[in-house]
Amino acid sequence: QVQLAESGGGLVQPGGSLTLSCVASGFNFYYYNVAWFHQAPGKEREGVSCMSGEERSLITYADSVQGRFTISRDYAKKTVYLQMNNLKPQDTGIYYCAAGGWTLRPGEWTHWGQGTQVTVAS
């Protein structure tokens, strides 16, 4: 079955960096668009970044992370990455990997991982 498994979360100080990974299985990873979403405590899930499949590398970032976060994917490893730099306390929350959508609207995406917790605090 479809599985998306995130890892790489943790506790980091403001200004620090983390790299999240998401390993995909159970579907044809090559053709699927992929994305990362963020859910802050007590808030709705929001899109962070999405990236097209088929090696077209069309990428969208939320304004809040533009210039700080970088999405990438390794087709051979069926893995999606989110490099997060200059982290801020408001970046705290659960980060979810998703596949099968198109834009940063959560409702469009059909496959979801379980999430990984990121905490930015001193």
Side-chain angles (χ1 to χ4, degrees):
Q1 72 272 22
V2 173
Q3 286 190 326
L4 295 167
E6 302 97 333
S7 62
L11 173 64
V12 62
Q13 292 185 344
S17 298
L18 278 177
T19 300
L20 306 183
S21 300
C22 171
V23 179
S25 61
F27 63 99
N28 197 330
F29 180 78
Y30 178 84
Y31 292 104
Y32 276 69
N33 301 329
V34 293
W36 287 96
F37 290 82
H38 168 231
Q39 188 162 17
K43 296 189 176 181
E44 294 185 351
R45 197 171 299 186
E46 296 181 334
V48 172
S49 181
C50 57
M51 185 174 188
S52 62
E54 301 181 69
E55 297 180 287
R56 289 177 295 168
S57 298
L58 300 174
I59 294 173
T60 300
Y61 292 102
D63 290 343
S64 60
V65 306
Q66 182 75 46
R68 300 189 299 123
F69 290 11
T70 303
I71 190 172
S72 61
R73 64 192 293 173
D74 185 323
Y75 287 90
K77 295 181 178 179
K78 297 183 180 179
T79 301
V80 188
Y81 302 97
L82 185 69
Q83 172 68 45
M84 306 186 294
N85 297 326
N86 190 20
L87 282 159
K88 304 176 181 181
Q90 53 265 43
D91 296 320
T92 293
I94 301 174
Y95 283 77
Y96 296 92
C97 177
W102 184 249
T103 71
L104 293 179
R105 290 190 287 268
E108 294 182 358
W109 296 77
T110 54
H111 306 313
W112 292 88
Q114 293 300 307
T116 185
Q117 174 71 43
V118 172
T119 303
V120 184
S122 53

